[in-house]
């Protein structure tokens, strides 16, 4: 059957392109000989594919190294300006839009507070579109060079086939986010859970580099996790796996959680819950800004603050012990703005609590670390969604958009 043969050959070529592109992207600069050794592809195949990637402008030469007695070997790396990636973090109090070059160097950034309407869907969509316009204008890049826009959301993302989001804690029920954004932009959109996107970024570029099995714990106002099994986020049947914040840590008389249930981990270690307890003690002294308030709680020498900190370390340690017992990861990486503050100040106490609740054997094999990509890691993670698609496809991207069409016609009405 000629059709099937053609498809198989095409798939094989794409697989080879993808394998080589990944090695150049993650391990470059590399010579053609290095690439052959690392992928197991023949010198001829490497040479053909590299010629295609150079021709496409995706890969560029980066000097040369001497080889023993032979001709110098040309080194290859990905071309940072081949195209641009946008990462959007639909956060708890703001929408953050960042534009990166292909090597994830940030070129522009827009921070759009959500205001009193909270996560009103229309307000979120407007901010994403406005942020897109801002970063593309500021970075002075051609809209046709945008490879894709990744959006990280605090909810469960289903694809049927367009992305629909359920975010129980922010009041989103079957929100057709992709089609709503589509009314304002025709750029390629990739929507995923924020914790999952963060997990991919930490595994590729952060504390998880080189790990196959890891858990990335995201702690902000809310609490989530990305469980990476053999290098891939585990999603489960409903795509919602990793809702660690809503695992029960207190059965009788548990605190009320934002999800409507009681006794969830999030109601004990999430920043919103923590600060509520802190305000019960300290009242109006606690600043309204959550980050400043949490930093204050961590530095507060009072007994009340000490007690709250001890409780957080215990509950967080118990939650981490559950992850260790369930998944036996090589690493648990603690991220999110509150996770960075808590981990930075209390990691030894948190580790001690985890050691108390976890089984000794898996605990001994697991290291606890802090996220290395900083408080804006979800936006970086979101940008890895179009990057992953580019690498998987071996560099085949959507046809470029018409270059001279005015920006405001490409990105919705909020542009004016
Ligand atoms: Zn809950």
């Amino acid at each position: 059957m000629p059709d099937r043969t053609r498809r198989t050959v095409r798939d094989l070529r794409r697989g080879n392109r993808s394998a080589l592109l990944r090695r150049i992207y993650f391990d470059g600069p590399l010579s053609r000989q290095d690439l052959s050794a690392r992928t197991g592809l023949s010198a001829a195949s490497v040479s053909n594919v590299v010629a295609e990637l150079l021709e496409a402008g995706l890969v560029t030469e980066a000097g040369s190294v001497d080889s023993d007695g032979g001709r110098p070997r040309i080194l290859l790396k990905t071309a940072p300006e081949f195209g641009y990636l946008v990462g959007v973090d639909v956060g708890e109090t703001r929408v953050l839009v960042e534009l990166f070059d292909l090597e994830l160097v940030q070129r522009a950034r827009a921070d759009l507070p959500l205001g009193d309407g909270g996560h009103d869907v229309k307000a979120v969509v407007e901010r994403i579109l406005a942020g897109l316009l801002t970063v593309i204008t500021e970075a002075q890049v051609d809209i046709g060079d945008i490879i894709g826009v990744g959006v990280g959301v605090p909810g469960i993302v289903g694809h049927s086939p367009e992305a629909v989001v359920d975010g129980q804690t922010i009041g989103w029920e079957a929100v057709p986010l992709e089609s709503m954004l589509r009314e304002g932009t025709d750029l390629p959109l990739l929507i995923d859970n924020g914790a999952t996107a963060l997990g991919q970024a930490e595994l590729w570029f952060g504390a998880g580099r080189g790990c196959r099995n890891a858990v990335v714990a995201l702690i902000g106002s809310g609490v989530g996790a990305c469980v990476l099994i053999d290098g891939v986020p585990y999603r489960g049947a409903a795509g919602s796996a990793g809702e660690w914040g809503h695992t029960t840590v207190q059965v009788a008389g548990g605190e009320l959680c934002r999800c409507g249930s009681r006794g969830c981990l999030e109601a004990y270690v999430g920043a919103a819950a923590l600060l509520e307890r802190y305000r019960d003690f300290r009242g109006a002294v606690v600043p309204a800004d959550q980050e400043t308030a949490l930093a204050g709680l961590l530095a507060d020498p009072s007994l009340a603050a000490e007690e709250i900190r001890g409780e957080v370390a215990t509950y967080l340690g118990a939650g981490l012990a559950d992850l260790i017992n369930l998944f036996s990861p090589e690493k648990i990486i603690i991220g999110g703005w509150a996770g960075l503050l808590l981990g930075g100040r209390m990691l030894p106490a948190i580790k001690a609590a985890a050691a108390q609740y976890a089984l000794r054997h898996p605990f001994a094999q697991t290291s606890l670390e802090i996220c290395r990509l900083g408080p804006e890691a979800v936006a970086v993670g979101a940008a890895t969604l179009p990057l992953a698609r580019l690498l998987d496809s071996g560099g085949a991207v959507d046809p470029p958009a018409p270059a001279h069409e005015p920006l405001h016609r490409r990105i919705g009405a909020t542009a004016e």
Side-chain angles (χ1 to χ4, degrees):
M1 285 184 285
D3 264 343
R4 177 179 277 180
T5 316
R6 267 206 299 277
R7 211 165 35 237
T8 311
V9 170
R10 202 172 58 216
D11 288 349
L12 194 70
R13 283 172 67 87
R14 194 171 97 155
N16 289 350
R17 274 176 69 115
S18 174
L20 283 169
L21 184 57
R22 276 177 178 272
R23 292 287 57 84
I24 296 172
Y25 187 84
F26 290 110
D27 307 338
L30 292 173
S31 69
R32 288 171 178 78
Q33 289 80 358
D34 297 332
L35 284 166
S36 183
R38 286 178 194 226
T39 57
L41 293 169
S42 71
S45 294
V46 169
S47 179
N48 285 339
V49 174
V50 163
E52 284 172 23
L53 294 172
L54 281 166
E55 166 79 27
L58 187 45
V59 162
T60 182
E61 293 184 349
S64 60
V65 283
D66 289 336
S67 64
D68 297 333
R71 283 188 304 163
R73 292 175 173 179
I74 306 284
L75 295 176
L76 302 154
K77 67 189 275 292
T78 37
E81 294 186 341
F82 169 76
Y84 299 89
L85 307 158
V86 178
V88 179
D89 172 14
V90 177
E92 285 149 357
T93 56
R94 63 181 186 179
V95 172
L96 190 59
V97 182
E98 298 186 355
L99 185 143
F100 304 90
D101 68 20
L102 196 58
E103 293 185 334
L104 285 175
V105 174
Q106 192 192 90
R107 295 295 187 93
R109 176 182 181 280
D111 188 342
L112 303 105
L114 277 170
D116 296 337
H119 286 85
D120 169 66
V121 183
K122 268 183 69 185
V124 169
V125 167
E126 274 171 24
R127 279 162 180 77
I128 295 175
L129 294 173
L132 265 177
L133 184 62
T134 304
V135 294
I136 293 170
T137 309
E138 247 175 48
Q140 299 187 330
V141 298
D142 191 316
I143 197 162
D145 289 335
I146 305 286
I147 293 166
V149 179
V151 183
V153 293
I156 298 159
V157 182
H159 292 90
S160 57
E162 289 203 310
V164 173
V165 185
D166 276 284
Q168 202 170 317
T169 55
I170 55 166
W172 284 18
E173 205 179 317
V175 168
L177 186 63
E178 185 168 348
S179 69
M180 291 177 77
L181 285 170
R182 187 56 67 217
E183 281 176 27
T185 177
D186 52 9
L187 287 169
L189 293 168
L190 294 106
I191 300 171
D192 206 339
N193 175 269
T196 306
L198 168 73
Q200 180 162 278
E202 272 299 318
L203 194 72
W204 284 6
F205 306 107
R209 265 200 100 147
C211 277
R212 300 302 297 166
N213 297 292
V215 179
V216 180
L218 180 65
I219 306 171
S221 255
V223 174
C226 174
V227 178
L228 295 144
I229 296 179
D230 212 15
V232 179
Y234 177 72
R235 293 172 185 277
S240 69
E243 287 290 351
W244 177 53
H246 305 285
T247 52
T248 310
V249 290
Q250 181 82 51
V251 179
E255 299 280 346
L256 187 64
C257 179
R258 290 193 303 174
C259 74
S261 185
R262 282 188 177 275
C264 296
L265 181 66
E266 183 173 302
Y268 292 86
V269 307
L274 267 180
L275 292 174
E276 208 180 293
R277 286 221 293 296
Y278 189 37
R279 282 198 183 92
D280 287 346
F281 282 112
R282 306 286 275 166
V285 181
V286 180
D289 176 66
Q290 286 197 329
E291 273 190 67
T292 318
L294 185 59
L297 164 62
L298 292 174
D300 186 337
S302 75
L303 255 164
E306 177 81 48
E307 198 175 303
I308 296 174
R309 287 197 296 269
E311 224 175 86
V312 177
T314 305
Y315 278 106
L316 188 51
L320 294 170
D322 288 346
L323 293 173
I324 292 169
N325 289 348
L326 280 170
F327 301 110
S328 177
E330 292 157 60
K331 260 183 201 176
I332 297 182
I333 300 155
I334 301 172
W337 69 266
L340 291 172
L341 285 173
L342 292 171
R345 167 77 197 241
M346 302 175 17
L347 196 60
I350 295 165
K351 270 186 186 168
Q356 233 184 320
Y357 292 103
L359 292 168
R360 279 192 304 276
H361 184 73
F363 179 80
Q365 313 292 323
T366 305
S367 63
L368 289 180
E369 287 188 24
I370 308 289
C371 167
R372 287 197 202 146
L373 297 176
E376 295 183 2
V378 173
V380 181
T384 66
L385 301 170
L387 174 61
R389 202 181 57 155
L390 178 80
L391 297 176
D392 285 346
S393 70
V397 288
D398 286 354
H404 300 298
E405 202 165 335
L407 255 186
H408 68 269
R409 278 171 51 199
R410 304 290 317 283
I411 299 175
T414 48
E416 268 93 354

